[in-house]
Amino acid sequence: MSEYSVLSKLNTSSGSAKATLKKIPITKIHLNILNPETDTDEEIEAFAETLREEGGVKMPLVVYLDDNGKYILLSGAKRLKATRFNLINHPDQAEYELPCFICERPENKTHEILDLFMYNEHRPRTDAKCKELVQMLLPVYESLLAEQSMKKQKGDPFVPVGTKRKWVAKRLCIGEKKAEKFIHEIEGHHQKKDQKKSIQMHYTALETQLMQKLQTGVKVSKTKIMIEYNSEDDLNRILQVVGLLES
């Protein structure tokens, strides 16, 4: 991703109104806990070597200033990690400050997550990682629909336009068919969980009703009902209650 690409993304991010470029000490730059992307130690070490060979970080990071005076990353996690690695292991070749675009703080958590997805769309991802990110995006999609309904916004680059699969595919830079496949797998799994929970709630309610009616312990499962009794007299009492034995 080139510096031009970063500027282009800044113009469409949630904090695009004001962005200034300056060097910031790496001790003041913090990783974003909402960032779903990860890097292995091996990848960071290899990238740190590349930075040493190329003379350091050329492409600016993107950060915003939080309420505690900390610069929080929106773009550049791998560059920051690699620079930290060099500072510890190769201090003579390390940078102590990094060029950063400072943008406005995203409006809310939902917009911050979308900024993170936008700035990381260039990353290569496995299908397993894509599915994980789709699962993270689905509640964001629903949140944006609700936000759009409340604010009646138009022209917001984050507001969902078109089908769910089209919106998800665009966020992850994947094909719509692949996005649809992941969505069906995730939502189908949730539907099965909800159905199982509903059946269990029905069993529990039935158990409660039978225990109140029979005045004894009852266990209801998928294939059987177990009714407890303490003696032959107790069994006869239960049979009388259910109408199987005359008083």
Side-chain angles (χ1 to χ4, degrees), residues 150-161:
M150 290 175 61
K151 295 184 177 181
K152 296 182 180 179
Q153 291 175 314
K154 291 184 178 180
D156 187 330
F158 289 143
V159 166
V161 176

Side-chain angles (χ1 to χ4, degrees), residues 2-21:
S2 66
E3 185 171 333
Y4 174 80
S5 298
V6 173
L7 285 168
S8 175
K9 293 181 187 303
L10 273 170
N11 289 332
T12 55
S13 73
S14 59
S16 62
K18 298 176 182 178
T20 56
L21 178 62

Side-chain angles (χ1 to χ4, degrees), residues 210-222:
L210 287 171
M211 284 190 288
Q212 291 174 347
K213 178 77 173 178
L214 303 178
Q215 294 297 301
T216 188
V218 178
K219 182 67 177 177
V220 179
S221 67
K222 185 177 181 180

Side-chain angles (χ1 to χ4, degrees), residues 168-184:
V168 169
K170 184 177 180 181
R171 299 277 80 76
L172 294 178
C173 294
I174 60 176
E176 289 186 32
K177 287 186 177 180
K178 179 177 283 192
E180 184 175 39
K181 173 178 177 290
F182 291 145
I183 291 169
H184 285 175

Side-chain angles (χ1 to χ4, degrees), residues 52-70:
R52 295 195 304 273
E53 292 173 351
E54 295 180 354
V57 173
K58 306 300 182 185
M59 183 172 60
L61 287 63
V62 180
V63 301
Y64 70 84
L65 193 62
D66 72 2
D67 294 335
N68 298 315
K70 297 178 180 178

Side-chain angles (χ1 to χ4, degrees), residues 43-57 82 86:
E43 288 171 335
I44 295 301
E45 186 171 351
F47 189 55
E49 183 178 358
T50 299
L51 290 182
R52 295 195 304 273
E53 292 173 351
E54 295 180 354
V57 173
N86 283 336

